[in-house]
Amino acid sequence: MMENGFSSPRSDAFPSGLRVLVVDDDPTWLKILEKMLKRCSYEVTTCCLARDALNLLRERKDGYDIVISDVNMPDMDGFKLLEHVGLEMDLPVIMMSVDGETSRVMKGVQHGACDYLLKPIRMKELRNIWQHVLRKKIHEVRDIENIEGIDNISIMRSGSARSDDWHLFGGEDVTSVKKRKDVENRRDEFSDSSSTKKARVVWSVDLHQKFVKAVNHIGFDKVGPKKILDLMNVPGLTRENVASHLQKYRLYLSRLQKENDLKNSVGGIKQSDSPFRDSAGSFGLQNSINITQNDISNSSFLYSGNKLVQFGDTKSLGGDTKGIVPAPIAEPKRASTVEVSDSCKSRTSSPCFNNSFGALESEGNFAAFDSNFQTEYPWSVIPEIQLKQEQKPLQLEESFHPPQLPGQHHQVLAGHPHQAHSVTERTIPAPLETKLLYSDDRNSHVNHVNSVGRSIDSCLVETKNQIVNNSDFEHTSTTTSSSKNQGFNVSSFTDLESGQLTINCRVTSPSPLLDEELQVRWLQGDCNAVNLAVQDKEFSGYFDPGLIAEFPVHLYDALRFDYDHLCDSTEYSLIDQGLFIA
DNA sequence: CCCGTAATAT
DNA sequence: TATATTACGG
């Protein structure tokens, strides 16, 4: 059972007890959703900042079963959060927003959202959210059974590139459908290539995720190309490939580290906008940034991941100054050996709901607050993107890939601009116009929309996979299964699985910025005062005309709906559905 | 000889 | 730039 992946997390029957993390900058909505979710017997955790949400998730990687997040949030774009979650913890994420703009919904889905709800949200919509959890679990199990990994790899053999599959994220159910490669084996293989070059491995998001998973499984300290390779179990991939990637990865991590230190030392000033440039670096793909709250981190450094943690203290600050990158890295290893049990993710298949591993440790970096958030993109982006750097319209960022919508895949291939692709369905690449639109949340959440017609914005990923030609595919994977629990976080929590301490960022992190933001938030909503008041009241109290009068319309609606739920009337649903579709 | 990493090449 | 290849010490 547990093995199955789904047995109830808690004692009761499956759905109940589902641990839901709700993220919405609007306190009123949080309240409402919390109520509704509780009515479904779910265990609810709320937070109004995406950053906090990420932190919570990182602290307790398997502390939640599903995440429901608003799309528009001041501190971090909901999509970005979605990205991080998909990459780091692989939890099902439900996005929500008031408007049902198609491009936005599409973006949500493309980025891995398992569902997209329009506010006002009704009970009936929440009652079944557990299905996503279950679905994911099932898929996970399936993957694992398949020795996870056989499926796709993206390697292009001597230049033949294929783009048929463009997965967005790594494995979500959303993308589950994806990978299908068989089709093209036909001859591409050796015909010319074998002798030619070696075929370059394209570290697609998928592949990278596998890599990360493997790394996490093993311990940061214990990783080695070979082990990773085995764990990844990707046919055609060589130890060298992994070693190379690992190097890059470490470099990336160390950069993050360094940044962190920097920031910490600086005092976490927000250098806001100015240069969005990702100082943090991108690991090829665009980098990531995540936030974490500083202070805390300082001490132990990166959140949960044990691996990273080591980094932090060991050399941390002072030392690294020296060189640049390299220094940091070295240290970790040794230190690490010491302890760490890997923790985090080992639980891959572990039963219950926790997500399996899959976290991206690196993510834990603390990038600069503001600026980074919005501008940086996680690793998920594919490397190829880099090509276009020139374009940078504003000098802000360099270009990046427009998300590919189903209809239009651009194959941006680094080396070979045009390849004949065997795939039939692929659309022809348009010259890619890469414009970057940043979504600077602070200003408007709207700009994600694209200029070109599709929605753009953060990452996208496109992958082209190539097949490896013959070569022996036997990689018996010896998965070293190691499972342990995360140990890092303190426990004291009700959760059976991982006893971890739940930290409420708001409380714990005093970062100036946060406070500031919080304040802003509170002040900003004219209705906040009201909201607060309301929060203390019984739900029914919402109906007080006086209060309601002050609510923004949408909130009002929300309340009504909520009320309806309570009363069990569900008629309104039609309304939004109508809105939605478009 | 295998591994992992640094250096260097493409 | 990203990834590959080579060199080298353990």
Side-chain angles (χ1 to χ4, degrees):
Chain A
M1 39 214 26
M2 309 168 45
E3 302 316 308
N4 241 329
F6 37 112
S7 41
S8 51
R10 333 199 113 268
S11 46
D12 341 35
F14 170 47
S16 66
L18 193 77
R19 296 159 304 175
V20 185
L21 175 62
V22 186
V23 193
D24 195 321
D25 58 297
D26 187 325
T28 302
W29 265 110
L30 276 183
K31 242 329 187 217
I32 292 170
L33 288 169
E34 183 180 5
K35 276 264 187 194
M36 291 169 69
L37 289 164
K38 279 184 173 168
R39 277 201 131 222
C40 296
S41 309
Y42 297 150
E43 193 177 291
V44 189
T45 303
T46 60
C47 78
C48 52
L49 290 176
R51 312 207 298 235
D52 292 353
L54 263 183
N55 287 329
L56 286 173
L57 291 168
R58 287 175 177 143
E59 272 146 24
R60 305 175 49 230
K61 300 225 175 195
D62 47 1
Y64 305 92
D65 300 309
I66 189 168
V67 177
I68 299 183
S69 169
D70 185 40
V71 170
N72 310 300
M73 291 185 284
D75 68 319
M76 186 190 298
D77 185 298
F79 296 112
K80 184 139 306 172
L81 173 63
L82 171 61
E83 247 170 62
H84 282 293
V85 173
L87 225 47
E88 300 179 44
M89 40 289 258
D90 202 37
L91 282 177
V93 177
I94 294 176
M95 300 294 280
M96 59 185 176
S97 68
V98 179
D99 67 284
E101 198 190 322
T102 307
S103 63
R104 213 173 249 217
V105 175
M106 197 172 300
K107 185 165 142 189
V109 174
Q110 284 187 306
H111 281 58
C114 62
D115 202 353
Y116 197 108
L117 304 178
L118 293 184
K119 292 176 178 179
I121 292 171
R122 267 132 337 55
M123 276 293 263
K124 64 182 334 180
E125 295 170 306
L126 296 178
R127 282 208 183 97
N128 289 322
I129 59 173
W130 57 264
Q131 69 182 293
H132 301 297
V133 177
L134 186 59
R135 187 174 302 124
K136 184 174 288 276
K137 273 309 166 209
I138 292 172
H139 284 158
E140 243 164 53
V141 172
R142 198 225 304 140
D143 284 353
I144 291 168
E145 288 173 349
N146 288 343
I147 304 184
E148 84 166 8
I150 308 179
D151 44 344
N152 61 330
I153 309 173
S154 9
I155 293 179
M156 76 166 90
R157 261 301 172 193
S158 83
S160 59
R162 316 188 13 63
S163 62
D164 53 71
D165 81 72
W166 48 291
H167 326 150
L168 304 184
F169 266 83
E172 263 0 304
D173 353 43
V174 179
T175 46
S176 60
V177 191
K178 59 179 181 182
K179 17 198 112 198
R180 266 202 49 313
K181 354 202 77 325
D182 15 67
V183 189
E184 44 25 53
N185 299 343
R186 356 150 120 211
R187 64 169 41 272
D188 30 11
E189 3 216 301
F190 50 99
S191 48
D192 50 304
S193 56
S194 49
S195 54
T196 346
K197 314 213 147 176
K198 267 302 214 50
R200 239 172 132 91
V201 172
V202 175
W203 286 88
S204 63
V205 175
D206 247 36
L207 204 54
H208 176 65
Q209 283 198 328
K210 275 189 179 168
F211 168 86
V212 174
K213 275 186 183 177
V215 171
N216 287 326
H217 272 329
I218 312 174
F220 216 76
D221 24 311
K222 298 176 268 189
V223 294
K226 185 64 182 307
K227 287 178 192 162
I228 296 173
L229 212 200
D230 292 340
L231 258 175
M232 289 176 73
N233 183 29
V234 173
L237 198 64
T238 68
R239 186 178 70 85
E240 286 72 30
N241 294 141
V242 176
S244 177
H245 193 67
L246 181 60
Q247 283 187 34
K248 195 179 40 163
Y249 185 62
R250 285 186 162 140
L251 211 63
Y252 165 76
L253 291 183
S254 65
R255 254 188 316 194
L256 288 183
Q257 236 300 130
K258 196 170 146 202
E259 272 232 336
N260 260 343
D261 292 346
L262 234 154
K263 300 228 154 115
N264 288 334
S265 61
V266 177
I269 294 178
K270 40 174 163 187
Q271 11 184 162
S272 29
D273 1 62
S274 46
F276 287 92
R277 282 258 68 199
D278 45 317
S279 36
S282 20
F283 176 75
L285 335 145
Q286 305 279 5
N287 42 314
S288 54
I289 295 285
N290 308 301
I291 357 132
T292 327
Q293 281 349 345
N294 44 36
D295 322 294
I296 309 178
S297 45
N298 221 342
S299 37
S300 62
F301 272 172
L302 309 196
Y303 56 107
S304 57
N306 29 7
K307 305 85 194 232
L308 280 191
V309 176
Q310 306 256 259
F311 270 69
D313 7 69
T314 330
K315 62 195 13 353
S316 65
L317 345 181
D320 71 341
T321 339
K322 100 188 237 173
I324 310 186
V325 188
I329 301 180
E331 291 285 279
K333 285 193 144 236
R334 299 211 250 100
S336 52
T337 330
V338 182
E339 49 89 13
V340 179
S341 31
D342 65 287
S343 66
C344 331
K345 28 224 27 17
S346 31
R347 12 174 84 257
T348 329
S349 44
S350 64
C352 308
F353 294 107
N354 34 13
N355 21 278
S356 25
F357 37 79
L360 231 189
E361 304 274 330
S362 46
E363 294 297 88
N365 63 17
F366 313 78
F369 294 108
D370 322 6
S371 38
N372 294 325
F373 290 162
Q374 338 200 291
T375 47
E376 320 237 311
Y377 296 78
W379 261 48
S380 43
V381 187
I382 294 199
E384 274 113 62
I385 298 175
Q386 304 281 347
L387 287 185
K388 293 253 156 206
Q389 299 230 340
E390 291 315 308
Q391 292 248 357
K392 31 173 96 182
L394 299 186
Q395 102 137 46
L396 298 185
E397 268 319 279
E398 41 253 313
S399 58
F400 69 114
H401 241 52
Q404 331 232 262
L405 297 202
Q408 35 192 296
H409 306 162
H410 297 225
Q411 175 102 88
V412 183
L413 224 15
H416 339 272
H418 36 344
Q419 310 268 349
H421 293 318
S422 37
V423 187
T424 43
E425 57 174 21
R426 126 176 216 245
T427 26
I428 300 295
L432 48 143
E433 32 328 18
T434 25
K435 287 330 201 351
L436 175 43
L437 304 190
Y438 266 162
S439 51
D440 180 339
D441 298 306
R442 289 169 295 193
N443 310 316
S444 58
H445 303 81
V446 195
N447 49 359
H448 317 66
V449 196
N450 66 2
S451 44
V452 198
R454 30 180 174 244
S455 62
I456 293 190
D457 175 1
S458 29
C459 69
L460 210 357
V461 182
E462 88 140 332
T463 10
K464 59 191 109 311
N465 300 332
Q466 283 72 25
I467 287 228
V468 176
N469 58 359
N470 61 315
S471 49
D472 14 322
F473 290 73
E474 68 222 12
H475 268 307
T476 29
S477 58
T478 39
T479 33
T480 45
S481 55
S482 50
S483 47
K484 18 305 278 295
N485 304 347
Q486 48 265 21
F488 214 64
N489 305 286
V490 187
S491 46
S492 92
F493 187 45
T494 49
D495 180 55
L496 297 177
E497 286 291 310
S498 54
Q500 303 203 5
L501 165 66
T502 311
I503 297 176
N504 187 320
C505 299
R506 291 192 251 131
V507 179
T508 35
S509 64
S511 132
L513 223 186
L514 284 181
D515 290 333
E516 190 183 325
E517 293 198 356
L518 279 178
Q519 280 202 292
V520 175
R521 295 250 90 224
W522 289 108
L523 297 178
Q524 132 194 108
D526 6 297
C527 54
N528 282 320
V530 178
N531 291 338
L532 286 176
V534 172
Q535 293 180 350
D536 294 338
K537 297 190 166 200
E538 209 351 331
F539 220 55
S540 52
Y542 282 119
F543 258 41
D544 178 83
L547 292 177
I548 291 178
E550 315 213 15
F551 286 169
V553 179
H554 70 285
L555 292 180
Y556 182 106
D557 283 343
L559 293 177
R560 280 171 48 219
F561 282 111
D562 189 62
Y563 179 79
D564 289 333
H565 291 334
L566 294 178
C567 297
D568 231 45
S569 71
T570 41
E571 305 324 348
Y572 299 89
S573 54
L574 296 181
I575 297 176
D576 42 327
Q577 293 195 329
L579 281 179
F580 180 100
I581 304 291

